[in-house]
Amino acid sequence: MRAVHFGAGKIGRGFIADLLHNTGYEITFVDVNEKLNAEMNQYHNYYLYVIQEDYRRKEIDKVSALSPITQPEEVSKAIVDADLVTTAVIADNFPKIANNLAAGLKARLDAGKERVNVIPCENAFYCGVMLKNELLKTGLLTEEELEKIAGIPSTAVDRMVFAAERDGRDGIDVGNTYELVIEKNQLVDPDAQPIKGAEYTGNLDKYLERKLCVVNGGHTMSAYIARLMGYDIIQDYFKVPENTKLTRDIMLQAGAFIEKKHGFAHEEMADYIDATIGRWSTPGVKDTIERIAKAPIRKLDPEDRMVKSAIECEKYGLANDLILKGIAAAFLYDVEGDEQAAEIKAYVEENGIEKAVTHYTGIESGSHIYEEILNAYNEYKAKKSN
Ligand SMILES: NC(=O)C1=CN([C@@H]2O[C@H](COP(=O)(O)OP(=O)(O)OC[C@H]3O[C@@H](n4cnc5c(N)ncnc54)[C@H](O)[C@@H]3O)[C@@H](O)[C@H]2O)C=CC1
Ligand SMILES: O=P(O)(O)OC[C@H]1O[C@](O)(CO)[C@@H](O)[C@@H]1O
């Protein structure tokens, strides 16, 4: 079996390809990183290092790589011949992969081949729908043609993965637990399980909201707050018990709406949160605030992890004060090299925080959540300048 996977980064190589390899696929990566592509084509393997098992080395073999820039024809051909297509490129990059992927699917359709599953594995609400929209925008396929050639489910994706230079090669340190949940009704065959080790569900919302709002929201808001406290490494922040408590409380606020909406028992949610915080505090792991907090515009989107939680809590009449503080902290995130952080900073300087809150979060002025974000922002700002 052959899989084509777009994005040979941390989740691509460290998680998705691990499951694909366990399932028995030979993998063709498609990535813009020429150095990485060359390494994979030289060795046809790479290594994962399982953190909790004393960095046990695991080989992922039968891999090769293509460049979407210099080898678009080969990418198309690989899609025509593939048994499965997956992505882990960061959803912001969907517009950049859409042409290659749409061209490949169109060629597959023209070749009279069967429908194929295209499974995007990205942290975003309904990444399958996002990808479909980008594919249609290329104009290379009509909606009917896309439907005829591909099943594109959305997913929830969770694994601890870190880039690591080991044994002179570009490897990935990985956690020993993970979750990949796939929306089964959108698959070519809803009863087939094209990736071993994944879960298949008819109710993705439940897992997606828990993963994105509780895990990613909790991690992201902790990172913005930790940055304002002066931390660079999230494990240093977690060493202080009050900080861990604050993160747990933020996650419990987001978890509360998910309990109500999806019927999770409170105990189950609390255990899930504690297990997640425990995983972030794994001895020996050093994770930068910069990695966790990156791309604040994407993370402040009304449909993303923070604002969605704040609004859902509001709808259910649940407390969201800590989430609103987390959102406020994101507006002060300031790390050299983060283009989205720089864009927010410039927007605030030009238009003021009052406009910026609505511009990035969609939260209108006049509501109490708007006021609370503004107040928290002003408090943080005053502290920062003292
Ligand atoms: N890192 C993590 O802990 C987790 C990440 N995720 C999600 O997984 C996805 C991937 O994240 P990471 O692996 O951390 O990012 P990453 O930055 O390590 O990997 C992204 C890869 O995509 C490649 N890429 C970018 N533009 C491309 C293009 N036009 N064509 C082909 N390849 C392209 C990059 O070169 C890079 O190798 C994201 O959606 C993220 O939200 C989900 C769970 C955990
Ligand atoms: O690009 P994003 O959405 O920040 O994804 C990476 C995030 O996913 C997580 O691994 C959680 O699954 C976080 O540790 C990390 O911050």
Side-chain angles (χ1 to χ4, degrees):
M1 292 189 297
R2 293 199 158 270
V4 171
H5 176 86
F6 283 77
K10 297 182 285 293
I11 280 290
R13 272 180 301 147
F15 183 21
I16 308 309
D18 186 18
L19 297 188
L20 295 177
H21 178 260
N22 290 346
T23 311
Y25 290 98
E26 292 185 16
I27 307 160
T28 304
F29 288 99
V30 179
D31 204 293
V32 288
N33 183 334
E34 296 295 353
K35 181 175 166 281
L36 190 60
N37 289 349
E39 194 173 307
M40 278 196 281
N41 288 329
Q42 180 181 354
Y43 298 103
H44 294 290
N45 75 354
Y46 66 90
Y47 297 101
L48 305 181
Y49 298 84
V50 185
I51 299 167
Q52 295 87 346
E53 296 174 26
D54 203 15
Y55 294 84
R56 175 177 61 80
R57 191 167 96 158
K58 176 175 182 188
E59 183 187 23
I60 307 294
D61 64 359
K62 298 185 182 147
V63 301
S64 57
L66 293 171
S67 161
I69 300 163
T70 59
Q71 299 172 288
E73 297 295 327
E74 287 90 333
V75 172
S76 263
K77 184 168 181 338
I79 294 170
V80 172
D81 295 336
D83 298 291
L84 175 67
V85 179
T86 50
T87 82
V89 289
I90 304 178
D92 284 345
N93 289 317
F94 278 167
K96 296 190 192 151
I97 65 165
N99 268 306
N100 287 104
L101 183 48
L105 291 173
K106 177 74 171 126
R108 187 179 174 106
L109 186 69
D110 293 345
K113 297 291 275 273
E114 70 281 12
R115 282 182 94 207
V116 64
N117 287 309
V118 176
I119 308 183
C121 304
E122 316 283 354
N123 278 340
F125 278 102
Y126 288 91
C127 58
V129 176
M130 292 169 79
L131 182 58
K132 261 186 213 165
N133 290 338
E134 290 305 327
L135 292 171
L136 293 175
K137 275 190 210 162
T138 64
L140 296 173
L141 288 153
T142 64
E143 201 165 349
E144 294 70 40
E145 286 174 325
L146 185 55
E147 185 56 31
K148 210 169 161 190
I149 198 62
I152 312 186
S154 295
T155 56
V157 190
D158 195 10
R159 188 173 199 177
M160 199 157 70
V161 286
F162 302 106
E165 274 266 328
R166 293 190 188 277
D167 306 328
R169 298 273 307 273
D170 194 333
I172 315 265
D173 291 349
V174 298
N176 60 353
T177 58
Y178 52 75
E179 183 179 77
L180 173 63
V181 188
I182 301 175
E183 195 184 17
K184 67 177 183 184
N185 301 338
Q186 298 293 327
L187 288 168
V188 169
D189 172 0
D191 296 322
Q193 304 206 337
I195 305 179
K196 271 192 205 157
E199 286 172 58
Y200 296 82
T201 181
N203 182 4
L204 185 68
D205 236 18
K206 179 174 171 174
Y207 298 99
L208 197 50
E209 291 195 338
R210 185 175 68 162
K211 162 64 183 22
L212 277 174
C213 293
V214 177
V215 178
N216 292 110
H219 215 191
T220 302
M221 288 186 264
S222 303
Y224 293 131
I225 292 168
R227 178 74 192 164
L228 286 174
M229 291 173 168
Y231 293 101
D232 293 321
I233 302 294
I234 200 78
Q235 283 73 23
D236 292 339
Y237 161 90
F238 282 127
K239 275 182 198 151
V240 179
E242 297 88 75
N243 294 344
T244 302
K245 183 179 176 322
L246 174 60
T247 292
R248 189 172 189 273
D249 289 345
I250 292 173
M251 292 169 85
L252 283 168
Q253 284 197 345
F257 98 74
I258 292 157
E259 288 169 27
K260 283 231 171 190
K261 190 168 170 182
H262 297 295
F264 283 103
H266 180 68
E267 284 309 306
E268 188 188 348
M269 185 61 75
D271 288 351
Y272 177 78
I273 289 170
D274 290 336
T276 302
I277 295 176
R279 196 179 61 169
W280 290 335
S281 315
T282 303
V285 167
K286 264 193 172 183
D287 197 3
T288 62
I289 304 279
E290 200 175 324
R291 184 193 77 83
I292 304 159
K294 70 172 186 298
I297 294 180
R298 166 165 60 96
K299 288 168 180 164
L300 279 167
D301 188 274
E303 281 304 310
D304 214 285
R305 61 207 76 187
M306 300 188 282
V307 178
K308 188 171 175 70
S309 288
I311 289 172
E312 291 275 1
C313 285
E314 198 68 8
K315 271 197 220 155
Y316 285 96
L318 296 163
N320 56 9
D321 55 311
L322 299 175
I323 297 170
L324 298 173
K325 286 192 171 128
I327 294 172
F331 281 95
L332 286 157
Y333 181 59
D334 191 3
V335 158
E336 213 172 300
D338 190 313
E339 284 173 18
Q340 294 192 8
E343 194 179 321
I344 294 179
K345 192 176 176 196
Y347 188 96
V348 172
E349 275 167 13
E350 202 178 321
N351 303 284
I353 183 66
E354 293 79 5
K355 274 199 175 157
V357 169
T358 306
H359 180 73
Y360 290 108
T361 68
I363 298 172
E364 296 292 344
S365 62
S367 63
H368 92 88
I369 59 173
Y370 173 88
E371 294 303 330
E372 278 194 46
I373 293 172
L374 222 54
N375 289 343
Y377 173 91
N378 287 326
E379 270 175 38
Y380 283 135
K381 195 154 186 244
K383 263 195 207 155
K384 207 178 168 196
S385 46
N386 278 337

